[in-house]
Amino acid sequence: MSLLIVGTVAFDKIETPIGKTEKILGGAGTYIGIAASYFSDTTNILSVIGDDFPDKYYQTLHDHKINTDGIQIIKGGKTFFWEGKYHTDMNSRDTVTTELNVLAEFDPIVPVNYQNCDYLMLGNLDPKIQRKVLKQLKKRPKLVVLDTMNFWMDIAWDDLLGTIRMVDVLTINEEEARQMSSKYSLVKAARKILTMGPKYLIIKKGEHGALLFDKEENCFFAPALPIEEVFDPTGAGDTFAGGFIGYLTKTKDLSFENMKRAVIYGSALASLTVEKFGTNKIAYLKSDELNDRLFKFKDLVEVDIKNLDKF
Amino acid sequence: MSLLIVGTVAFDKIETPIGKTEKILGGAGTYIGIAASYFSDTTNILSVIGDDFPDKYYQTLHDHKINTDGIQIIKGGKTFFWEGKYHTDMNSRDTVTTELNVLAEFDPIVPVNYQNCDYLMLGNLDPKIQRKVLKQLKKRPKLVVLDTMNFWMDIAWDDLLGTIRMVDVLTINEEEARQMSSKYSLVKAARKILTMGPKYLIIKKGEHGALLFDKEENCFFAPALPIEEVFDPTGAGDTFAGGFIGYLTKTKDLSFENMKRAVIYGSALASLTVEKFGTNKIAYLKSDELNDRLFKFKDLVEVDIKNLDKF
């Protein structure tokens, strides 16, 4: 089963209350790819970079058996760069710099060996680009997951609507769910968004966890693990998405029950990402770290309430 | 097993984005008492009111088999009154009016038939008053739960510290946990607060659920149920506390496992409270409503991740 990931491979420069970085490896595609690589054997990535992208970062992707054939390298171009500064609560941040660089002219070309992918993760990008990728595939993947953000709701609403109509799972955050639906209640927001195309909606609540909804009004909640010290929330949402689709790619089971497990795996990986800056944690997990984290999730919510009928 | 609840019995006037009320029945003691009454047969309440308190509100308490012998009625006095207006997100509110009235001179006198209580819930009040109650008891209760708020941290820090040293379970919200500990991470905040006396700490996160910590670094998370429409969050925290201690009073089991269940019962009741204004929902639960709600909580978080070792 092959997984195709479309998303930025980029440079980030990050400041949080704990410290700051120089230009380091970042990008949605990078986090999604690394997270998915813990489950998926064949992870193909489609992206664009400049020729300023260092070999050592390429090596990080290859160390995770990520196929980079689909990363266009623009000669003389500069790689997408984002600089951000997080506030004390780490739930909000200011963008200091955004240099689109090669991303401004990105025209995705899906390599032939990617065109039969079974699972597709469309990371946050212009919905036109996300749709262009979908249209180049030889067959409809078994599952298409799309991540987006308020920026596209503001400036490309019709394109976004056209694109999400073609996907199975949409992942957005709380405020975006409210903006997209004009509903404050997340229950009502989910109900409305699920009439717009996707079969499943994941509402990411950052340090407050994530909600999974389907059209049958099933609802599942995964908490975020309380973390001793959050160093850097960058990439947590993308890591979550990568773990989610990676787990589904590996298990080939698209039932709601299995999607719940996928949400937990994604959450567990995301809880690791934030413990170091950039990809410093998620790219170097030790053999038992993910399992240990999963057990912590289990402990965190497991409760025996079988005696309900006593009252 | 008898339960003693100390807390305000009051008038509230509430405005939320959904609507507003006239002066209605409110107060921490009221919500705690009503919630606990679904579990506890003997619920004693200690409070103070003016002679403006209407019989119909008394009747609401008696309908829940709440013993009101310990409610002092001050002749010519006026009952505590709070008026508040919630913001769109319902997580924050402005206090429009606070009239302490008879609460300003409240000198708690524990009736003889209350002095052997096994379980004690000290609702949010001046920590001096909370301590005065503790000192009048003939024996140390099996469990003392104390709720407080930032107001007392601001103006009565030393009194508060002296009082929480005497309790088993402290319940506060996220911001209060951070203020109290000077730690941003809730894990670190909990660790520090648990050196200040209480054996257990519950951090209430409103629509984001609740966390239970013990001194052995066990941590349990109960989500808040996503609600179709929140009408009025007033009393949700007190309902939670009432459900929590009511369940423990009924089950007489103070293990961490059973406290987890108590947190779920408290959360389930709180999720009902917010569905109508004031006590309109929680005071009139139909026979299966609590059970139905508990099953929804189970569904919300239940996931089978026994195959962890596969990866």
Side-chain angles (χ1 to χ4, degrees):
Chain A
M1 291 288 164
S2 71
L3 168 62
L4 172 56
I5 291 160
V6 185
T8 54
V9 172
F11 294 131
D12 283 347
K13 190 173 169 188
I14 300 153
E15 183 170 347
T16 81
I18 308 286
K20 54 187 177 179
T21 70
E22 293 305 306
K23 267 192 183 181
I24 57 172
L25 175 61
T30 301
Y31 284 101
I32 297 168
I34 292 173
S37 75
Y38 290 102
F39 308 101
S40 166
D41 294 330
T42 318
T43 307
N44 298 318
I45 193 163
L46 185 74
S47 194
V48 64
I49 55 176
D51 55 11
D52 57 347
F53 194 75
D55 284 348
K56 63 174 179 179
Y57 289 163
Y58 244 118
Q59 194 53 47
T60 303
L61 299 177
H62 291 154
D63 288 346
H64 287 269
K65 294 183 199 149
I66 296 169
N67 179 354
T68 56
D69 291 354
I71 300 186
Q72 300 171 29
I73 306 170
I74 307 296
K75 282 237 163 149
K78 288 178 74 184
T79 300
F80 173 50
F81 170 59
W82 176 79
E83 182 178 355
K85 186 175 171 176
Y86 287 85
H87 303 166
T88 312
D89 70 1
M90 299 253 198
N91 286 324
S92 52
R93 65 189 187 187
D94 295 324
T95 289
V96 180
T97 314
T98 304
E99 292 175 10
L100 285 179
N101 297 331
V102 296
L103 199 62
E105 305 295 326
F106 182 35
D107 186 22
I109 297 160
V110 182
V112 175
N113 60 330
Y114 285 17
Q115 290 174 8
N116 275 308
C117 71
D118 295 303
Y119 295 84
L120 174 63
M121 174 72 223
L122 296 166
N124 173 40
L125 278 172
D126 185 330
K128 272 204 206 89
I129 291 178
Q130 293 173 318
R131 194 158 29 169
K132 263 192 180 171
V133 170
L134 270 168
K135 288 190 171 163
Q136 291 174 56
L137 302 178
K138 287 211 186 105
K139 61 173 183 14
R140 173 59 162 79
K142 292 184 170 62
L143 188 79
V144 180
V145 181
L146 181 141
D147 184 50
T148 190
M149 68 184 295
N150 51 359
F151 180 73
W152 306 112
M153 297 173 195
D154 293 337
I155 70 155
W157 178 247
D158 291 337
D159 280 330
L160 182 61
L161 281 189
T163 303
I164 67 163
R165 223 172 279 139
M166 304 164 78
V167 311
D168 301 299
V169 184
L170 176 66
T171 70
I172 46 179
N173 73 28
E174 246 177 317
E175 286 64 44
E176 289 157 355
R178 288 176 172 137
Q179 178 174 347
M180 196 157 186
S181 63
S182 307
K183 301 282 181 195
Y184 189 80
S185 150
L186 295 181
V187 174
K188 290 185 177 177
R191 195 178 292 141
K192 182 155 175 196
I193 291 167
L194 289 169
T195 66
M196 298 176 176
K199 295 185 197 73
Y200 303 93
L201 173 68
I202 293 174
I203 299 180
K204 299 174 288 183
K205 293 163 46 123
E207 62 160 334
H208 300 301
L211 285 160
L212 167 69
F213 295 91
D214 72 3
K215 291 194 182 209
E216 282 74 48
E217 308 233 331
N218 290 307
C219 178
F220 174 68
F221 176 79
L225 201 73
I227 299 286
E228 180 90 21
E229 186 100 82
V230 171
F231 274 73
D232 172 16
T234 310
D238 294 314
T239 302
F240 170 85
F244 177 77
I245 198 156
Y247 181 80
L248 293 174
T249 302
K250 168 122 187 157
T251 54
K252 306 179 194 70
D253 171 358
L254 299 178
S255 67
F256 192 74
E257 276 310 306
N258 202 48
M259 289 220 176
K260 283 159 58 172
R261 281 187 283 268
V263 166
I264 294 287
Y265 277 81
S267 300
L269 281 165
S271 77
L272 289 159
T273 287
V274 303
E275 289 189 338
K276 288 194 179 169
F277 277 96
T279 58
N280 285 347
K281 179 85 183 187
I282 196 67
Y284 307 100
L285 293 187
K286 295 187 200 93
S287 62
D288 279 339
E289 269 179 310
L290 176 55
N291 257 329
D292 289 352
R293 197 49 62 101
L294 286 162
F295 280 111
K296 281 194 179 160
F297 266 85
K298 215 164 139 59
D299 283 349
L300 185 65
V301 295
E302 209 165 53
V303 57
D304 176 13
I305 38 172
K306 66 183 174 212
N307 294 322
L308 293 177
D309 50 1
K310 277 177 63 184
F311 298 101
Chain B
M1 291 288 164
S2 71
L3 166 63
L4 172 56
I5 291 160
V6 185
T8 55
V9 172
F11 293 131
D12 284 345
K13 189 174 170 190
I14 300 154
E15 183 171 347
T16 80
I18 309 286
K20 53 187 179 180
T21 70
E22 291 306 305
K23 267 192 185 184
I24 57 173
L25 175 61
T30 302
Y31 285 101
I32 297 168
I34 292 173
S37 76
Y38 289 102
F39 308 101
S40 166
D41 293 330
T42 319
T43 307
N44 298 319
I45 192 163
L46 185 74
S47 194
V48 64
I49 55 176
D51 55 10
D52 57 347
F53 194 74
D55 285 348
K56 63 174 178 179
Y57 290 163
Y58 245 117
Q59 194 53 47
T60 303
L61 299 177
H62 292 152
D63 288 346
H64 287 271
K65 295 182 198 151
I66 297 169
N67 179 355
T68 56
D69 292 355
I71 300 186
Q72 300 171 30
I73 305 169
I74 307 296
K75 281 238 164 144
K78 288 178 74 183
T79 300
F80 173 49
F81 170 58
W82 176 78
E83 181 179 355
K85 186 175 171 176
Y86 287 85
H87 303 164
T88 312
D89 69 1
M90 300 253 199
N91 286 325
S92 52
R93 64 189 189 189
D94 295 324
T95 290
V96 179
T97 314
T98 304
E99 293 175 9
L100 284 180
N101 298 332
V102 296
L103 199 61
E105 305 295 325
F106 182 35
D107 185 24
I109 298 159
V110 183
V112 175
N113 59 332
Y114 286 16
Q115 290 175 7
N116 276 308
C117 72
D118 295 304
Y119 294 84
L120 173 63
M121 173 74 223
L122 296 166
N124 173 41
L125 278 171
D126 186 331
K128 270 202 208 89
I129 292 179
Q130 292 173 319
R131 196 160 27 173
K132 265 193 180 171
V133 171
L134 268 168
K135 288 190 172 164
Q136 293 174 56
L137 301 179
K138 286 209 187 108
K139 63 174 183 12
R140 173 64 161 75
K142 292 183 171 60
L143 188 79
V144 180
V145 181
L146 181 140
D147 184 48
T148 189
M149 68 184 295
N150 51 359
F151 180 74
W152 306 113
M153 297 175 195
D154 293 336
I155 69 156
W157 178 245
D158 290 338
D159 279 331
L160 182 62
L161 281 189
T163 303
I164 66 164
R165 221 172 280 140
M166 305 164 76
V167 311
D168 301 300
V169 184
L170 175 67
T171 71
I172 46 179
N173 73 27
E174 247 177 316
E175 286 64 44
E176 289 156 357
R178 288 176 173 138
Q179 177 175 348
M180 195 156 188
S181 62
S182 307
K183 301 282 180 195
Y184 189 80
S185 150
L186 295 181
V187 174
K188 290 185 177 177
R191 196 178 292 141
K192 183 157 175 193
I193 292 167
L194 289 170
T195 66
M196 298 176 176
K199 295 186 197 73
Y200 303 92
L201 172 68
I202 293 174
I203 299 180
K204 301 174 286 183
K205 293 163 45 121
E207 62 160 334
H208 301 301
L211 285 160
L212 168 69
F213 294 91
D214 72 3
K215 291 196 181 208
E216 282 72 49
E217 309 235 331
N218 289 308
C219 178
F220 174 67
F221 176 79
L225 201 73
I227 299 285
E228 180 90 22
E229 187 99 82
V230 173
F231 275 72
D232 173 16
T234 310
D238 294 315
T239 302
F240 171 86
F244 176 79
I245 198 157
Y247 181 80
L248 293 175
T249 303
K250 167 120 187 157
T251 55
K252 306 179 195 70
D253 171 359
L254 298 178
S255 66
F256 192 74
E257 275 309 306
N258 202 47
M259 289 223 176
K260 283 159 59 172
R261 281 187 282 269
V263 166
I264 294 287
Y265 276 81
S267 299
L269 282 163
S271 78
L272 289 159
T273 288
V274 303
E275 289 188 338
K276 288 194 180 170
F277 277 95
T279 57
N280 286 346
K281 179 84 183 188
I282 196 66
Y284 307 100
L285 292 188
K286 296 187 200 90
S287 63
D288 279 338
E289 269 179 311
L290 176 55
N291 258 329
D292 289 351
R293 197 49 61 102
L294 286 162
F295 280 110
K296 281 195 180 161
F297 266 85
K298 215 164 140 62
D299 283 349
L300 186 65
V301 295
E302 208 167 52
V303 56
D304 175 14
I305 37 174
K306 66 182 175 213
N307 294 322
L308 292 177
D309 50 359
K310 276 177 63 182
F311 297 101

